[in-house]
Amino acid sequence: MKSAHNLINANFKNAKLLIVEDDDDQWLIIQQAMRQCMSELTAQRVATLEQAMTLLEDWRYQEWEIPKLILLDLYLPTNATGWQLLKQIRAMPSPIGTLPIVMLTSSVDPIDIKDAYQLGVSAYVVKPIEFADWLTCFRELRTYWLETVTLPPIQYEL
């Protein structure tokens, strides 16, 4: 039986996060927070639905490239684009279609929150305003997604 320590190490081994964020200023903040809270992870950023789908399609058969987690901004630049991307990812075959997706957005609209969960997000996080709160957010993301939960092994559907 694997120990908890081995499971944590498995979550970090060659771990990559896909970050779908169209705002360059937000991306700079995310990079800084990640450097301080998740320095052992590699962040891959895309800014558009098209870039995200191209990358995910490329990764479908490259196990070593598949991210452990997707952070998805809802407004790319409109929420229609964010919803469309979420639906497209969830429609992809395993392992991509089953990856955990955290909606990282500025929207506090209860309808957006409800719709996000109904469409298959794993978590909904409202973007912080202050940098100190960004650090807290990324520490909590790290603790939960990479140190607490056990992620399933990548399995391909043919």
Side-chain angles (χ1 to χ4, degrees):
M1 181 169 214
K2 288 188 175 184
S3 71
H5 180 72
N6 288 339
L7 288 172
I8 290 169
N9 287 339
N11 282 349
F12 281 115
K13 186 177 182 181
N14 300 318
K16 180 180 291 190
L17 267 61
L18 175 59
I19 300 172
V20 186
E21 173 61 65
D22 66 325
D23 184 290
D24 291 335
D25 292 334
Q26 293 284 298
W27 170 236
L28 289 173
I29 293 168
I30 290 168
Q31 282 182 298
Q32 291 174 1
M34 283 193 65
R35 268 190 228 110
Q36 291 186 40
C37 302
M38 299 178 168
S39 61
E40 66 278 74
L41 302 181
T42 302
Q44 175 75 47
R45 180 227 187 173
V46 293
T48 67
L49 178 148
E50 294 78 14
Q51 291 172 342
M53 290 307 298
T54 297
L55 195 57
L56 290 168
E57 283 293 335
D58 289 348
W59 287 347
R60 274 187 56 201
Y61 303 104
Q62 300 172 0
E63 178 181 338
W64 62 94
E65 293 289 350
I66 295 174
K68 297 285 185 185
L69 182 66
I70 299 172
L71 300 181
L72 173 59
D73 183 19
L74 178 56
Y75 288 83
L76 297 170
T78 68
N79 67 353
T81 307
W83 294 131
Q84 182 181 357
L85 179 55
L86 176 59
K87 290 174 188 175
Q88 285 184 274
I89 293 170
R90 285 296 179 233
M92 292 181 78
S94 186
I96 302 293
T98 59
L99 289 172
I101 298 174
V102 173
M103 185 71 71
L104 184 63
T105 181
S106 57
S107 174
V108 295
D109 184 336
I111 293 170
D112 285 345
I113 297 167
K114 178 184 72 65
D115 289 349
Y117 282 107
Q118 286 181 336
L119 292 171
V121 298
S122 305
Y124 190 100
V125 177
V126 176
K127 288 180 180 177
I129 296 172
E130 301 294 325
F131 186 69
D133 295 329
W134 276 97
L135 293 175
T136 299
C137 177
F138 273 89
R139 278 188 210 104
E140 290 172 357
L141 285 170
R142 173 197 170 102
T143 298
Y144 184 75
W145 287 106
L146 300 168
E147 296 176 11
T148 303
V149 300
T150 302
L151 299 174
I154 292 175
Q155 295 181 344
Y156 294 91
E157 292 180 2
L158 300 174

